[in-house]
Protein backbone atom coordinates (compact mmCIF):
# COMPACT_ATOMS: atom_id res chain seq x y z
CA UNK A 1 0.00 0.00 0.00
CA UNK A 2 1.36 3.39 -0.97
CA UNK A 3 2.20 5.71 1.95
CA UNK A 4 -0.33 8.45 2.66
CA UNK A 5 0.61 12.02 1.90
CA UNK A 6 2.06 13.88 4.89
CA UNK A 7 -0.70 16.45 4.81
CA UNK A 8 -3.35 13.75 5.15
CA UNK A 9 -1.47 12.12 8.02
CA UNK A 10 -1.08 15.47 9.75
CA UNK A 11 -4.78 16.24 9.36
CA UNK A 12 -5.82 12.81 10.62
CA UNK A 13 -3.51 12.95 13.64
CA UNK A 14 -4.73 16.44 14.47
CA UNK A 15 -8.32 15.28 14.42
CA UNK A 16 -7.46 12.23 16.49
CA UNK A 17 -6.07 14.50 19.21
CA UNK A 18 -9.33 16.48 19.21
CA UNK A 19 -7.60 19.76 18.33
CA UNK A 20 -8.20 22.19 15.54
CA UNK A 21 -6.03 25.03 14.20
CA UNK A 22 -7.47 28.33 13.02
CA UNK A 23 -6.06 30.91 10.68
CA UNK A 24 -4.54 33.80 12.63
CA UNK A 25 -6.50 36.99 11.92
CA UNK A 26 -3.42 39.17 12.45
CA UNK A 27 -0.83 37.55 10.15
CA UNK A 28 -3.01 34.94 8.33
CA UNK A 29 -0.77 32.08 9.52
CA UNK A 30 -2.04 28.83 11.03
CA UNK A 31 -1.46 29.17 14.78
CA UNK A 32 -3.14 30.49 17.95
CA UNK A 33 -3.05 34.26 18.44
CA UNK A 34 -0.88 33.98 21.56
CA UNK A 35 1.88 32.39 19.43
CA UNK A 36 1.71 34.97 16.63
CA UNK A 37 5.11 36.69 16.31
CA UNK A 38 3.62 39.76 14.66
CA UNK A 39 1.03 40.09 17.42
CA UNK A 40 3.60 39.73 20.21
CA UNK A 41 5.78 42.48 18.71
CA UNK A 42 2.96 45.02 19.00
CA UNK A 43 2.54 47.34 21.95
CA UNK A 44 -0.04 46.33 24.55
CA UNK A 45 -2.43 48.98 23.27
CA UNK A 46 -2.15 47.75 19.67
CA UNK A 47 -2.56 44.15 20.81
CA UNK A 48 -5.78 45.13 22.52
CA UNK A 49 -6.99 46.86 19.38
CA UNK A 50 -6.20 43.71 17.34
CA UNK A 51 -8.22 41.61 19.80
CA UNK A 52 -11.14 44.04 19.61
CA UNK A 53 -11.21 44.33 15.83
CA UNK A 54 -10.72 40.62 15.17
CA UNK A 55 -13.14 39.51 17.93
CA UNK A 56 -10.80 37.32 19.96
CA UNK A 57 -11.51 36.50 23.60
CA UNK A 58 -9.69 39.09 25.72
CA UNK A 59 -9.36 36.62 28.59
CA UNK A 60 -7.65 33.68 26.85
CA UNK A 61 -7.15 34.96 23.26
CA UNK A 62 -9.21 32.08 21.89
CA UNK A 63 -10.56 32.24 18.34
CA UNK A 64 -14.05 31.48 19.69
CA UNK A 65 -15.91 29.71 22.50
CA UNK A 66 -18.46 27.34 20.93
CA UNK A 67 -19.69 26.13 24.32
CA UNK A 68 -20.47 29.53 25.84
CA UNK A 69 -18.45 32.16 27.75
CA UNK A 70 -14.76 31.78 28.53
CA UNK A 71 -14.03 29.38 31.38
CA UNK A 72 -10.34 30.17 31.78
CA UNK A 73 -9.38 31.07 35.36
CA UNK A 74 -5.77 32.05 34.59
CA UNK A 75 -6.13 35.84 34.43
CA UNK A 76 -3.30 38.34 33.98
CA UNK A 77 -0.02 37.17 35.52
CA UNK A 78 1.03 40.79 36.18
CA UNK A 79 -2.02 42.21 37.94
CA UNK A 80 -4.41 39.28 38.35
CA UNK A 81 -7.03 41.04 36.26
CA UNK A 82 -9.64 39.39 34.06
CA UNK A 83 -7.61 39.68 30.83
CA UNK A 84 -4.71 37.96 29.14
CA UNK A 85 -1.20 38.90 30.25
CA UNK A 86 -0.33 40.07 26.72
CA UNK A 87 -3.04 42.75 27.08
CA UNK A 88 -1.73 44.17 30.35
CA UNK A 89 -1.31 47.95 30.01
CA UNK A 90 -1.36 49.34 33.55
CA UNK A 91 1.97 50.22 35.12
CA UNK A 92 2.45 49.88 38.84
CA UNK A 93 2.66 53.31 40.52
CA UNK A 94 6.15 54.13 41.73
CA UNK A 95 6.54 54.72 45.50
CA UNK A 96 6.92 58.36 46.55
CA UNK A 97 10.46 59.64 47.00
CA UNK A 98 11.23 59.80 50.74
CA UNK A 99 12.89 63.20 50.48
CA UNK A 100 10.12 64.83 48.48
CA UNK A 101 7.11 66.52 49.99
CA UNK A 102 3.92 65.26 48.23
CA UNK A 103 2.41 68.75 48.35
CA UNK A 104 5.52 70.23 46.69
CA UNK A 105 5.38 67.51 44.04
CA UNK A 106 1.77 68.40 43.25
CA UNK A 107 2.68 72.06 42.86
CA UNK A 108 5.34 71.18 40.29
CA UNK A 109 2.53 70.22 37.84
CA UNK A 110 0.26 73.26 37.67
CA UNK A 111 -1.48 72.09 34.49
CA UNK A 112 -2.65 68.88 36.12
CA UNK A 113 -3.84 70.62 39.25
CA UNK A 114 -5.88 73.02 37.16
CA UNK A 115 -7.50 70.11 35.35
CA UNK A 116 -8.46 68.43 38.61
CA UNK A 117 -10.20 71.53 39.88
CA UNK A 118 -12.49 71.84 36.86
CA UNK A 119 -13.39 68.13 36.65
CA UNK A 120 -12.44 66.55 39.97
CA UNK A 121 -15.22 63.96 39.65
CA UNK A 122 -13.27 62.02 36.99
CA UNK A 123 -11.59 58.85 38.31
CA UNK A 124 -8.32 59.76 36.56
CA UNK A 125 -7.91 63.01 38.44
CA UNK A 126 -7.02 63.76 42.01
CA UNK A 127 -8.29 66.95 43.60
CA UNK A 128 -5.41 68.81 45.26
CA UNK A 129 -6.21 70.35 48.62
CA UNK A 130 -4.37 73.56 49.45
CA UNK A 131 -4.53 75.56 52.67
CA UNK A 132 -6.64 78.66 52.20
CA UNK A 133 -5.36 81.80 53.91
CA UNK A 134 -7.86 84.04 55.61
CA UNK A 135 -8.96 86.95 53.43
CA UNK A 136 -10.95 90.05 54.13
CA UNK A 137 -14.50 90.64 52.92
CA UNK A 138 -13.18 93.21 50.43
CA UNK A 139 -10.70 90.73 48.93
CA UNK A 140 -13.43 88.11 48.69
CA UNK A 141 -15.75 90.41 46.79
CA UNK A 142 -12.96 91.35 44.36
CA UNK A 143 -12.16 87.66 43.74
CA UNK A 144 -15.84 86.97 43.10
CA UNK A 145 -15.96 89.85 40.61
CA UNK A 146 -12.94 88.51 38.73
CA UNK A 147 -14.45 85.02 38.55
CA UNK A 148 -17.63 86.44 37.12
CA UNK A 149 -15.73 88.08 34.27
CA UNK A 150 -13.26 85.22 33.64
CA UNK A 151 -14.20 82.36 31.34
CA UNK A 152 -12.03 79.24 31.14
CA UNK A 153 -11.65 77.42 27.82
CA UNK A 154 -10.48 73.81 27.49
CA UNK A 155 -8.52 72.69 24.37
CA UNK A 156 -11.03 71.12 21.97
CA UNK A 157 -10.68 69.68 18.47
CA UNK A 158 -13.09 68.35 15.84
CA UNK A 159 -12.13 64.81 14.81
CA UNK A 160 -13.47 62.42 12.19
CA UNK A 161 -14.44 58.96 13.49
CA UNK A 162 -13.75 56.52 10.66
CA UNK A 163 -16.13 53.53 10.76
CA UNK A 164 -14.98 52.11 7.43
CA UNK A 165 -18.23 52.43 5.52
CA UNK A 166 -19.12 55.79 7.09
CA UNK A 167 -17.52 58.71 8.89
CA UNK A 168 -18.75 61.02 11.63
CA UNK A 169 -17.46 64.29 13.05
CA UNK A 170 -17.43 64.92 16.78
CA UNK A 171 -15.75 67.24 19.26
CA UNK A 172 -12.97 65.95 21.52
CA UNK A 173 -10.78 67.44 24.21
CA UNK A 174 -7.02 66.99 24.54
CA UNK A 175 -6.10 66.42 28.18
CA UNK A 176 -2.60 65.11 29.11
CA UNK A 177 -3.71 64.83 32.74
CA UNK A 178 -6.05 61.95 31.86
CA UNK A 179 -3.93 58.79 31.79
CA UNK A 180 -6.04 56.89 29.26
CA UNK A 181 -8.25 58.28 26.50
CA UNK A 182 -11.93 57.92 27.40
CA UNK A 183 -15.38 58.08 25.85
CA UNK A 184 -18.92 58.46 27.15
CA UNK A 185 -21.19 55.43 26.85
CA UNK A 186 -23.85 57.19 24.76
CA UNK A 187 -21.32 58.43 22.21
CA UNK A 188 -19.68 54.99 21.92
CA UNK A 189 -23.11 53.42 21.38
CA UNK A 190 -24.02 56.01 18.75
CA UNK A 191 -20.89 55.16 16.74
CA UNK A 192 -21.28 51.41 17.42
CA UNK A 193 -17.62 51.07 18.33
CA UNK A 194 -16.26 47.53 18.94
CA UNK A 195 -15.56 46.87 22.62
CA UNK A 196 -14.45 44.24 25.07
CA UNK A 197 -14.27 43.88 28.85
CA UNK A 198 -10.99 43.98 30.75
CA UNK A 199 -11.86 43.12 34.33
CA UNK A 200 -14.24 45.83 35.55
CA UNK A 201 -13.47 48.13 32.60
CA UNK A 202 -14.98 48.32 29.12
CA UNK A 203 -12.62 49.45 26.38
CA UNK A 204 -13.49 50.56 22.86
CA UNK A 205 -11.49 50.79 19.66
CA UNK A 206 -11.72 53.72 17.24
CA UNK A 207 -9.94 55.18 14.24
CA UNK A 208 -9.71 58.98 14.28
CA UNK A 209 -8.75 61.17 11.34
CA UNK A 210 -8.03 64.83 10.73
CA UNK A 211 -10.56 66.78 8.68
CA UNK A 212 -7.88 68.59 6.69
CA UNK A 213 -4.83 66.30 6.52
CA UNK A 214 -3.75 62.69 6.22
CA UNK A 215 -3.31 62.13 9.95
CA UNK A 216 -4.79 58.85 11.21
CA UNK A 217 -4.86 57.63 14.81
CA UNK A 218 -5.92 54.21 16.05
CA UNK A 219 -6.82 54.61 19.69
CA UNK A 220 -8.16 52.50 22.55
CA UNK A 221 -10.77 54.32 24.65
CA UNK A 222 -11.76 53.49 28.20
CA UNK A 223 -15.45 53.74 28.95
CA UNK A 224 -16.45 56.59 31.27
CA UNK A 225 -20.23 56.20 31.67
CA UNK A 226 -20.81 59.87 32.51
CA UNK A 227 -18.10 61.72 30.61
CA UNK A 228 -19.76 65.04 29.84
CA UNK A 229 -17.54 68.13 30.02
CA UNK A 230 -18.99 71.58 29.36
CA UNK A 231 -16.67 74.15 27.81
CA UNK A 232 -16.79 77.09 27.93
CA UNK A 233 -19.34 77.75 30.64
CA UNK A 234 -20.72 80.71 28.71
CA UNK A 235 -20.19 82.07 25.22
CA UNK A 236 -17.31 84.41 24.46
CA UNK A 237 -17.71 87.59 22.49
CA UNK A 238 -17.20 87.68 18.73
CA UNK A 239 -14.35 90.13 19.34
CA UNK A 240 -12.44 87.46 21.29
CA UNK A 241 -13.11 84.87 18.58
CA UNK A 242 -11.87 87.29 15.91
CA UNK A 243 -8.46 87.49 17.60
CA UNK A 244 -7.76 83.95 16.34
CA UNK A 245 -9.08 84.43 12.82
CA UNK A 246 -5.64 84.16 11.17
CA UNK A 247 -4.87 80.56 12.17
CA UNK A 248 -6.45 77.25 11.16
CA UNK A 249 -8.45 76.29 14.23
CA UNK A 250 -9.04 72.70 15.33
CA UNK A 251 -12.48 73.79 16.56
CA UNK A 252 -13.89 76.88 14.87
CA UNK A 253 -16.65 77.10 17.49
CA UNK A 254 -14.36 76.93 20.54
CA UNK A 255 -15.99 80.12 21.86
CA UNK A 256 -19.49 78.57 21.96
CA UNK A 257 -20.56 76.30 24.88
CA UNK A 258 -20.52 72.60 23.98
CA UNK A 259 -20.60 69.26 25.78
CA UNK A 260 -17.56 67.05 25.18
CA UNK A 261 -17.89 63.26 25.53
CA UNK A 262 -14.52 62.17 24.09
CA UNK A 263 -11.16 62.91 25.74
CA UNK A 264 -7.76 62.16 24.20
CA UNK A 265 -5.40 61.53 27.09
CA UNK A 266 -1.74 61.09 27.91
CA UNK A 267 -1.49 57.78 26.02
CA UNK A 268 -1.81 59.65 22.68
CA UNK A 269 -0.82 63.20 23.69
CA UNK A 270 2.67 63.07 22.12
CA UNK A 271 1.17 62.06 18.77
CA UNK A 272 -1.18 65.05 18.69
CA UNK A 273 0.94 68.04 19.74
CA UNK A 274 3.04 69.89 17.16
CA UNK A 275 5.61 72.70 17.52
CA UNK A 276 3.85 76.03 17.66
CA UNK A 277 2.60 78.15 20.55
CA UNK A 278 0.81 81.46 20.24
CA UNK A 279 0.25 84.02 23.00
CA UNK A 280 -1.40 87.16 21.68
CA UNK A 281 -1.86 89.36 24.76
CA UNK A 282 -2.71 89.28 28.44
CA UNK A 283 -6.32 88.47 29.16
CA UNK A 284 -6.63 86.16 26.15
CA UNK A 285 -6.24 82.37 25.94
CA UNK A 286 -3.26 80.80 24.20
CA UNK A 287 -3.17 78.69 21.04
CA UNK A 288 -1.26 75.40 20.57
CA UNK A 289 -0.61 73.69 17.25
CA UNK A 290 -1.85 70.10 16.90
CA UNK A 291 -2.36 67.60 14.09
CA UNK A 292 -6.00 68.68 13.96
CA UNK A 293 -5.25 72.41 13.82
CA UNK A 294 -4.73 75.03 16.53
CA UNK A 295 -6.44 74.55 19.89
CA UNK A 296 -7.38 77.53 22.06
CA UNK A 297 -7.33 77.21 25.85
CA UNK A 298 -6.86 79.19 29.02
CA UNK A 299 -8.58 82.01 30.86
CA UNK A 300 -10.36 84.87 29.11
CA UNK A 301 -11.04 88.10 30.93
CA UNK A 302 -13.88 89.88 29.15
CA UNK A 303 -15.00 93.32 30.28
Amino acid sequence: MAPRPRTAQSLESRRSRGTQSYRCRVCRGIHPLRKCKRFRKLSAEKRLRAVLINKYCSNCLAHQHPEGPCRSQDGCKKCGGNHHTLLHMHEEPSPPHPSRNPRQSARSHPRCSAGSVSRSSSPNRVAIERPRPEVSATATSVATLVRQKTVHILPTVIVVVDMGSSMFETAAMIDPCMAVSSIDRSLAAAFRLPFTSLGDDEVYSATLRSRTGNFKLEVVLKLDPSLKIRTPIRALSDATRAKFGNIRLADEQFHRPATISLVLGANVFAKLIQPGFLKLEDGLPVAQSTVFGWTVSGAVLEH
Side-chain angles (χ1 to χ4, degrees):
M1 181 181 295
R4 296 179 180 177
R6 180 176 300 178
T7 55
Q9 291 177 347
S10 175
L11 179 59
E12 182 176 339
S13 60
R14 189 180 302 155
R15 288 175 177 172
S16 65
R17 292 193 303 267
T19 61
Q20 186 175 5
S21 295
Y22 294 96
R23 185 172 296 279
C24 175
R25 296 168 181 170
V26 174
C27 72
R28 309 307 297 169
I30 305 297
H31 51 245
L33 181 64
R34 64 182 182 276
K35 295 184 178 181
C36 176
K37 294 182 180 180
R38 181 181 298 179
F39 176 74
R40 297 180 72 95
K41 288 180 180 179
L42 298 175
S43 65
E45 184 170 331
K46 290 184 177 180
R47 287 184 206 138
L48 177 57
R49 177 174 171 80
V51 167
L52 284 165
I53 294 297
N54 295 294
K55 299 181 180 180
Y56 281 98
C57 173
S58 61
N59 190 41
C60 68
L61 303 186
H63 181 275
Q64 63 182 8
H65 291 297
E67 299 180 357
C70 181
R71 298 180 181 180
S72 174
Q73 301 296 323
D74 292 341
C76 178
K77 293 181 175 60
K78 293 184 178 181
C79 69
N82 186 24
H83 57 264
H84 197 275
T85 307
L86 290 174
L87 303 182
H88 178 84
M89 291 193 298
H90 302 284
E91 296 295 334
E92 294 296 328
S94 58
H97 195 280
S99 63
R100 181 178 298 173
N101 188 317
R103 192 175 300 280
Q104 292 177 349
S105 176
R107 288 198 186 101
S108 65
H109 300 281
R111 293 175 63 185
C112 293
S113 63
S116 64
V117 170
S118 61
R119 299 179 302 283
S120 59
S121 61
S122 174
N124 292 310
R125 295 175 174 80
V126 178
I128 300 174
E129 297 291 337
R130 293 186 174 87
R132 298 180 180 178
E134 294 184 1
V135 294
S136 64
T138 303
T140 302
S141 62
V142 171
T144 302
L145 180 63
V146 171
R147 284 198 299 269
Q148 289 176 348
K149 291 185 176 181
T150 302
V151 180
H152 294 88
I153 306 175
L154 301 176
T156 57
V157 299
I158 302 298
V159 300
V160 177
V161 182
D162 188 351
M163 300 301 298
S165 59
S166 57
M167 296 188 182
F168 305 91
E169 288 190 359
T170 187
M173 186 180 77
I174 298 177
D175 184 2
C177 293
M178 178 174 281
V180 180
S181 301
S182 302
I183 189 170
D184 177 74
R185 184 185 298 276
S186 59
L187 187 61
F191 292 151
R192 297 182 179 179
L193 298 178
F195 75 96
T196 190
S197 297
L198 291 183
D200 296 331
D201 296 329
E202 284 186 18
V203 290
Y204 291 77
S205 177
T207 299
L208 305 181
R209 294 182 179 273
S210 168
R211 294 181 298 167
T212 57
N214 296 323
F215 178 77
K216 175 183 175 182
L217 176 67
E218 295 180 349
V219 60
V220 171
L221 305 167
K222 180 181 178 181
L223 176 68
D224 188 335
S226 56
L227 181 62
K228 297 185 185 300
I229 302 169
R230 192 73 173 170
T231 179
I233 298 301
R234 63 177 183 270
L236 304 178
S237 66
D238 292 337
T240 298
R241 168 64 177 82
K243 295 283 188 179
F244 299 91
N246 295 326
I247 57 177
R248 182 174 63 84
L249 294 170
D251 181 2
E252 291 86 352
Q253 300 297 318
F254 74 88
H255 62 305
R256 302 297 183 192
T259 300
I260 307 299
S261 297
L262 172 61
V263 176
L264 303 177
N267 59 323
V268 296
F269 182 74
K271 300 176 182 179
L272 307 181
I273 299 301
Q274 291 186 330
F277 184 82
L278 180 62
K279 181 178 179 180
L280 297 177
E281 58 187 71
D282 291 340
L284 286 178
V286 297
Q288 171 70 56
S289 180
T290 76
V291 294
F292 301 111
W294 289 77
T295 60
V296 179
S297 62
V300 183
L301 182 59
E302 292 195 328
H303 301 287

